[in-house]
Amino acid sequence: MTENGSVVFEYEYLMAYAATAGEFPASAKAAPGVLALQRALIWLAGASVAIVFIEPSPYEVVTLSAILVFFATGLRLRLLFMPLLALLVLINLGYSMSAVPMLDQSIIASWIATSWYMALTVMFFAMVVSEDTTARLDMLRRGLIVGAVIASLSAIAGYFNLVPGGYDLLTLYGRGRGTFKDPNVLGAFLILPALFALQGVVSQPFGKALRSAFALGIMALALLLAFSRAAWGGLILTSVFMLTLMMLTSRSNAQRSRIVVTAILAALAAALLVGLLLSFSSIADMFQQRASFDQSYDEGRFGRFGRHLLGAAMALDLPFGIGPLQFHSYFPEDTHNSYLNAFMSGGWLSGVAYPAMVFLTVIIGFRHIFVRVPWQHAYIVIFSAFLGTVGESFIIDTDHWRHFFMMLGTMWGMFAAAQSYKIANPQALTSPAPAS
């Protein structure tokens, strides 16, 4: 088959799958062709979120196109979304008011516009995922894994200089960054698709599990080469959390046994991979440097945690904050704490509304863990990754991470879908099924 023929075949396969994945919801009014287009756009959004080293990024173009298509073909703003919408508006109102004296600076105006757009994407994903949930989550999962593999291969190729000029373009400070601006963001992004791949390894049939294992290996290698301590710890903790929830919600002892055995094998494979990489002196040196908890930028009065304390004291005296991107004018570096950054960038309004939005989502998220819905496996993965990012937000600025807002909106979409499902299926369980 020619290259063009192969591309046409893959496109036709994607569209055919998009048209038939899952069951059409009873309430769906769109024609099958429109549903296929909608699902394909969800796949593309998941894949494009991995390419953000330019602005506007492909993700912005894809999500804007998807928003226009979905609004033209039908979206529902549910009552359940009103608290989320109100908090998003309050957060961005705070940012905008604090930025008024600085809006003549293009970088500030761009930051405010990005914040409002991220809020729009949250509502978009919430409305989209609340309907045709199983199929759309599956398309999002597939797109995320494809995007993650592309980003990972880019980081690996750059780190080992496998393409001309790749090291300069695809690494930063000797760390793989791939299609991201920052290695830390690459590492953080890879956690969600890596969890999807890991879940596939422990739950899918052998053939599909093997493909998931291959994808997981590529992502794990890129994550290691990003040398992000937060991403390393985040992947370990969220994997343990996800696998624990899968065991608690599993319907059979056989499935629980498979999870345990596969988890042990995955841990051994990860240890072998780390051991192999550490045999390279350059990797071993960087690994030792990054793995150390004794980092100069974390310590001292103006270190990461010292800045948190000083910034918190400032926030109490500044009801309107200091404005976006101004923290580094007072301290050597940025806040590296999203909750503190909300206070600094948007004053008390944003500072209260932002953590309220995040932790309200976490609280509701825990309440939905054991709801027996067809997309429960996907819910467990996304909630695990979201919870990890919530924790990471205490030590890094996540307030413009595209994948974080994608997860936030998707969580609320699943909340709404679960409520509809429980009404339609009163027999849906809210506790683990007995072992069989």
Side-chain angles (χ1 to χ4, degrees):
M1 183 180 291
T2 65
E3 181 179 352
N4 289 338
S6 177
V7 171
V8 170
F9 174 79
E10 291 177 2
Y11 172 78
E12 291 177 346
Y13 176 81
L14 172 63
M15 295 303 291
Y17 174 81
T20 57
E23 298 180 357
F24 292 151
S27 60
K29 303 297 183 183
V34 174
L35 287 171
L37 175 60
Q38 291 174 338
R39 292 172 178 178
L41 285 170
I42 294 299
W43 181 93
L44 197 55
S48 64
V49 75
I51 307 173
V52 292
F53 66 95
I54 56 175
E55 291 188 0
S57 69
Y59 175 73
E60 268 80 61
V61 176
V62 170
T63 50
L64 180 58
S65 301
I67 288 170
L68 295 175
V69 169
F70 272 91
F71 270 102
T73 55
L75 276 179
R76 285 199 296 168
L77 181 61
R78 298 169 183 260
L79 184 63
L80 179 66
F81 299 149
M82 290 301 105
L84 175 64
L85 178 60
L87 289 168
L88 286 167
V89 170
L90 290 175
I91 292 166
N92 284 281
L93 278 177
Y95 290 157
S96 300
M97 290 189 295
S98 295
V100 167
M102 298 166 281
L103 285 177
D104 58 328
Q105 303 176 37
S106 60
I107 189 173
I108 302 298
S110 176
W111 193 93
I112 293 296
T114 300
S115 294
W116 280 104
Y117 187 71
M118 290 298 101
L120 177 62
T121 63
V122 171
M123 296 306 302
F124 168 70
F125 279 106
M127 289 186 284
V128 163
V129 173
S130 67
E131 298 182 359
D132 194 19
T133 306
T134 302
R136 289 176 180 176
L137 284 174
D138 186 55
M139 296 302 285
L140 184 63
R141 175 189 66 84
R142 290 167 177 261
L144 281 166
I145 291 176
V146 169
V149 169
I150 292 172
S152 298
L153 290 173
S154 299
I156 294 167
Y159 186 86
F160 291 108
N161 202 22
L162 300 179
V163 293
Y167 187 83
D168 294 331
L169 178 64
L170 301 172
T171 67
L172 183 67
Y173 308 131
R175 301 162 58 193
R177 67 174 181 180
T179 53
F180 286 77
K181 293 181 180 180
D182 187 334
N184 292 321
V185 185
L186 168 66
F189 162 74
L190 289 176
I191 291 175
L192 174 59
L195 291 181
F196 270 126
L198 177 60
Q199 187 181 72
V201 172
V202 302
S203 63
Q204 292 177 329
F206 179 76
K208 291 183 178 180
L210 195 61
R211 291 197 296 270
S212 294
F214 182 68
L216 178 60
I218 293 173
M219 287 182 257
L221 177 56
L223 198 146
L224 286 169
L225 296 178
F227 296 102
S228 170
R229 295 174 299 165
W232 294 343
L235 180 61
I236 293 171
L237 293 175
T238 55
S239 296
V240 171
F241 184 72
M242 181 197 75
L243 293 173
T244 300
L245 291 182
M246 288 187 67
M247 290 188 64
L248 292 174
T249 58
S250 176
R251 297 177 183 270
S252 70
N253 286 327
Q255 181 62 43
R256 294 187 184 98
S257 298
R258 180 180 174 181
I259 292 171
V260 172
V261 172
T262 308
I264 293 173
L265 293 175
L268 291 174
L272 288 174
L273 177 61
V274 172
L276 177 62
L277 290 175
L278 292 181
S279 65
F280 297 90
S281 59
S282 60
I283 296 178
D285 292 341
M286 178 64 79
F287 186 89
Q288 183 178 10
Q289 174 189 338
R290 294 294 301 166
S292 172
F293 289 101
D294 185 18
Q295 303 288 345
S296 60
Y297 51 78
D298 286 338
E299 301 173 342
R301 176 176 170 79
F302 295 107
R304 184 196 306 260
F305 304 110
R307 295 196 305 274
H308 292 174
L309 296 175
L310 294 172
M314 285 180 61
L316 296 176
D317 297 325
L318 298 168
F320 294 102
I322 57 177
L325 306 178
Q326 301 304 303
F327 194 79
H328 69 277
S329 299
Y330 296 82
F331 299 96
E333 294 188 41
D334 293 327
T335 53
H336 293 310
N337 182 314
S338 296
Y339 310 108
L340 174 60
N341 188 57
F343 273 101
M344 294 288 96
S345 298
W348 294 354
L349 182 59
S350 300
V352 172
Y354 185 82
M357 176 187 71
V358 170
F359 291 105
L360 176 63
T361 306
V362 170
I363 292 169
I364 300 175
F366 272 107
R367 295 180 60 187
H368 282 77
I369 287 174
F370 297 113
V371 177
R372 290 289 184 185
V373 289
W375 55 89
Q376 188 177 33
H377 275 187
Y379 179 88
I380 288 173
V381 170
I382 296 171
F383 180 58
S384 299
F386 178 80
L387 193 61
T389 307
V390 168
E392 191 174 0
S393 297
F394 282 100
I395 58 172
I396 198 167
D397 297 319
T398 62
D399 42 10
H400 276 179
W401 285 6
R402 274 70 171 172
H403 65 277
F404 174 69
F405 288 99
M406 173 185 283
M407 288 190 291
L408 176 62
T410 302
M411 289 291 299
W412 280 82
M414 291 188 290
F415 297 159
Q419 297 303 313
S420 299
Y421 184 82
K422 286 193 291 184
I423 292 172
N425 302 271
Q427 74 278 10
L429 301 178
T430 55
S431 61
S436 60

